[in-house]
Amino acid sequence: GIQVEQSPPDLILQEGANSTLRCNFSDSVNNLQWFHQNPWGQLINLFYIPSGTKQNGRLSATTVATERYSLLYISSSQTTDSGVYFCAVETSGANSKLTFGKGITLSVRP
Amino acid sequence: EAEVAQSPRYKITEKSQAVAFWCDPISGHATLYWYRQILGQGPELLVQFQDESVVDDSQLPKDRFSAERLKGVDSTLKIQPAELGDSAMYLCASSPGPIYYGYTFGSGTRLTVV
């Protein structure tokens, strides 16, 4: 099956700093999503981005499908950005499913 | 904004007991998924429904786990008997179907087996 690798595994930032989170995947995808898992365990959808660039406030994401990677940018980080960020991809096919990476743990310190 | 509802939010059960989780997807979403997330790892698919039919349960431990979606709406995931290794977060997600706009996840059920 498809492999999803996220880097770095852990990231510590000072409040106000910017960061880039990376997701590499091993095959063509028809869906890519970035999620933030909050301390209570809920997965919050940040972006549905199989290709191109999207922005939502301080967050933006870019997926280069031809090169099989996606980047999540966080600008002016806040303590509430702390948590685990997951990249998940879905390949084409009748019974396709989301396959997750192992996640990136972000800690933003005041 | 439409949500995927899950209950209970937390469950503590003794080893060898039965436990059940419930999920109500977003109205109109034909596809429903149950994922299991072990601490420190990403979620992994247990079972996928298209309407009331199971389309993928290859990762479901069928000797102890069962899942149903009788009317193609809400779904129940059951574990009997529970084992210590089943302690995890159980997440339900739904999507509209063949034309994807992404998956929406519920808040999950955190299971602890003692």
Side-chain angles (χ1 to χ4, degrees):
Chain A
I2 192 168
Q3 303 298 311
V4 182
E5 295 184 357
Q6 293 186 246
S7 60
D10 301 282
L11 190 56
I12 300 174
L13 299 176
Q14 204 67 31
E15 196 169 28
N18 302 327
S19 63
T20 301
L21 286 60
R22 187 176 181 100
C23 173
N24 293 333
F25 43 96
S26 61
D27 203 349
S28 300
V29 299
N30 65 357
N31 177 16
L32 186 146
Q33 288 183 253
W34 282 97
F35 293 92
H36 176 217
Q37 191 163 41
N38 63 26
W40 297 272
Q42 184 166 11
L43 285 168
I44 307 297
N45 181 46
L46 298 176
F47 293 102
Y48 167 77
I49 187 165
S51 63
T53 297
K54 292 185 178 179
Q55 181 157 6
N56 184 3
R58 297 181 296 103
L59 303 182
S60 64
T62 295
T63 296
V64 183
T66 53
E67 298 187 20
R68 298 181 183 170
Y69 74 88
S70 183
L71 302 173
L72 177 68
Y73 305 96
I74 304 174
S75 64
S76 304
S77 59
Q78 301 176 358
T79 56
T80 52
D81 294 330
S82 296
V84 183
Y85 290 80
F86 287 100
C87 169
V89 302
E90 179 181 35
T91 57
S92 60
N95 300 324
S96 56
K97 61 185 180 184
L98 269 184
T99 299
F100 284 76
K102 294 185 177 181
I104 296 170
T105 301
L106 174 65
S107 299
V108 181
R109 295 179 174 173
Chain B
E1 184 176 340
E3 295 184 347
V4 175
Q6 287 189 250
S7 66
R9 187 73 179 89
Y10 302 93
K11 181 69 177 179
I12 300 175
T13 191
E14 294 184 347
K15 186 175 62 172
S16 79
Q17 295 299 302
V19 63
F21 316 128
W22 177 80
C23 172
D24 191 11
I26 292 173
S27 178
H29 279 197
T31 312
L32 184 148
Y33 309 82
W34 284 101
Y35 279 80
R36 178 171 61 182
Q37 184 180 20
I38 296 170
L39 189 64
Q41 299 182 19
E44 293 184 335
L45 181 71
L46 288 175
V47 61
Q48 176 184 347
F49 289 91
Q50 183 68 30
D51 298 309
E52 67 276 11
S53 300
V54 173
V55 296
D56 185 352
D57 63 356
S58 57
Q59 301 302 311
L60 188 72
K62 299 182 188 63
D63 57 335
R64 298 184 300 108
F65 286 64
S66 63
E68 61 182 15
R69 192 184 184 197
L70 292 176
K71 297 183 179 180
V73 181
D74 59 336
S75 176
T76 302
L77 178 69
K78 298 179 181 177
I79 308 174
Q80 182 172 18
E83 297 181 352
L84 296 178
D86 297 331
S87 294
M89 174 74 88
Y90 290 82
L91 294 159
C92 180
S94 69
S95 71
I99 302 174
Y100 296 109
Y101 298 95
Y103 293 52
T104 302
F105 280 80
S107 300
T109 296
R110 191 176 297 277
L111 173 67
T112 302
V113 182
V114 297

